[in-house]
Amino acid sequence: MELTVGKFASAVNTTIRTLRYYEKIGLLVPGKKNDANQKIYARDDLKKFYNIQLLKSMGWPLIEIKQMLEETTYSFGEMVEMQEAVLLDKRNTINESLKMIARIKKVMNETGDLSNEDLMLLMNTIRLEEDQRMILQQYFSATTVDRIMPQNKRQQLAFDRLNKRLLSFFQASIHSGLRPDSQEVQRELEELFALIPVSRNELFHLDRPLDKPSEILKALLPDDMAEFFGEAIQVFYNNQFEGRGE
């Protein structure tokens, strides 16, 4: 089999432009010419083309396909194993992103359109839930943390509503110049804590004293909000302990 670029493109259902690009990057270079000095594709080129398409369908980028095919001892079996792991990881990432989008849309359907800032903050709180869990584990028992963090879709929606309210309130408080120890802020915290599905005794029985916002909290929120949130929470807990005579 010896075909010019046009006939080869037709035979393999691709375009001349694609074949020219493959040749340009050294991925598939015809090694023969006919009597008219035209480059021609032989049977080995056909086999290589289909190998390229196979690897492309598995998600390999062209530059890596080129490197693989240049190796004299490359193994399709090893490629399959490697790419399976990559694709599974991508699938997990996509699935988690779709779950996050579904949760965001539920909140948006309830509250209407969110501002860009509110939307990004809420998306980050969902994306970084494991980091939130790490923050809580610094202060509460594992059992209490499991009860606070959502375990099913119903709890996720309640948790997202709570986060939306918290983020919007603290953002508005900062913009309006309220102090973390103001009555408005502390009253809102009182109402928010009442919505958390754990007892007051669990909430106020800390495994360690509250300190300034951790690096994880600063990673979750803008610096000013992380600082404000940390101070407000600290004041709230101090007030609770004073009220109990501790």
Side-chain angles (χ1 to χ4, degrees):
M1 183 198 83
E2 294 184 348
L3 300 173
T4 61
V5 63
K7 291 181 178 179
F8 187 79
S10 297
V12 298
N13 195 31
T14 191
T15 64
I16 294 175
R17 182 178 180 181
T18 295
L19 294 176
R20 295 295 192 205
Y21 180 69
Y22 285 2
E23 181 181 356
K24 179 180 178 181
I25 64 174
L27 181 58
L28 180 62
V29 181
K32 295 183 179 181
K33 290 184 178 182
N34 61 16
D35 294 339
N37 202 36
Q38 296 174 304
K39 293 179 180 178
I40 56 174
Y41 292 80
R43 187 171 300 279
D44 286 345
D45 296 317
L46 178 65
K47 178 182 177 182
K48 187 173 184 180
F49 176 83
Y50 283 126
N51 285 345
I52 291 168
Q53 298 308 104
L54 173 63
L55 293 170
K56 274 185 62 181
S57 72
M58 294 168 59
W60 290 101
L62 292 179
I63 187 64
E64 293 186 26
I65 292 174
K66 180 177 181 293
Q67 293 171 353
M68 293 172 186
L69 297 182
E70 286 175 350
E71 295 180 10
T72 57
T73 59
Y74 72 88
S75 164
F76 270 113
E78 292 179 1
M79 292 178 187
V80 168
E81 294 291 335
M82 291 170 57
Q83 194 61 3
E84 180 186 31
V86 171
L87 293 175
L88 286 173
D89 185 60
K90 286 183 178 179
R91 184 175 71 180
N92 291 337
T93 300
I94 291 171
N95 286 341
E96 289 303 311
S97 295
L98 289 172
K99 289 178 184 177
M100 178 180 69
I101 290 170
R103 288 172 63 176
I104 288 293
K105 291 179 71 174
K106 284 183 179 179
V107 176
M108 292 177 68
N109 288 338
E110 286 190 349
T111 62
D113 290 338
L114 301 174
S115 70
N116 288 339
E117 189 171 5
D118 282 346
L119 184 59
M120 292 301 294
L121 287 172
L122 186 56
M123 289 175 71
N124 266 326
T125 62
I126 294 173
R127 183 177 66 87
L128 300 174
E129 264 181 15
E130 286 306 307
D131 290 326
Q132 293 184 62
R133 181 181 290 274
M134 289 173 61
I135 293 171
L136 294 174
Q137 286 174 344
Q138 296 178 45
Y139 303 106
F140 302 105
S141 69
T143 302
T144 300
V145 173
D146 285 340
R147 294 182 63 191
I148 293 173
M149 300 302 293
Q151 305 295 323
N152 54 51
K153 289 184 178 180
R154 181 182 60 79
Q155 292 171 345
Q156 283 177 347
L157 180 57
F159 190 71
D160 293 340
R161 288 171 182 157
L162 188 64
N163 271 327
K164 162 65 173 61
R165 177 174 170 177
L166 184 149
L167 291 169
S168 296
F169 177 79
F170 279 109
Q171 187 179 54
S173 298
I174 293 170
H175 289 166
S176 61
L178 289 176
R179 291 175 51 83
D181 59 354
S182 67
Q183 289 185 358
E184 295 92 333
V185 171
Q186 294 302 309
R187 184 166 55 246
E188 178 68 10
L189 280 177
E190 178 75 29
E191 293 180 7
L192 287 170
F193 273 109
L195 297 174
I196 297 175
V198 295
S199 69
R200 280 299 179 99
N201 185 57
E202 287 176 279
L203 282 176
F204 301 134
H205 181 74
L206 298 181
D207 290 340
R208 54 170 283 193
L210 283 169
D211 51 16
K212 291 185 177 181
S214 67
E215 292 303 314
I216 296 176
L217 183 57
K218 290 179 180 178
L220 283 167
L221 301 170
D223 288 345
D224 58 345
M225 191 177 292
E227 196 70 32
F228 188 96
F229 181 77
E231 290 181 16
I233 292 292
Q234 193 164 26
V235 170
F236 183 81
Y237 271 94
N238 289 343
N239 289 340
Q240 295 298 318
F241 287 130
E242 289 174 5
R244 293 163 61 188
E246 297 184 14

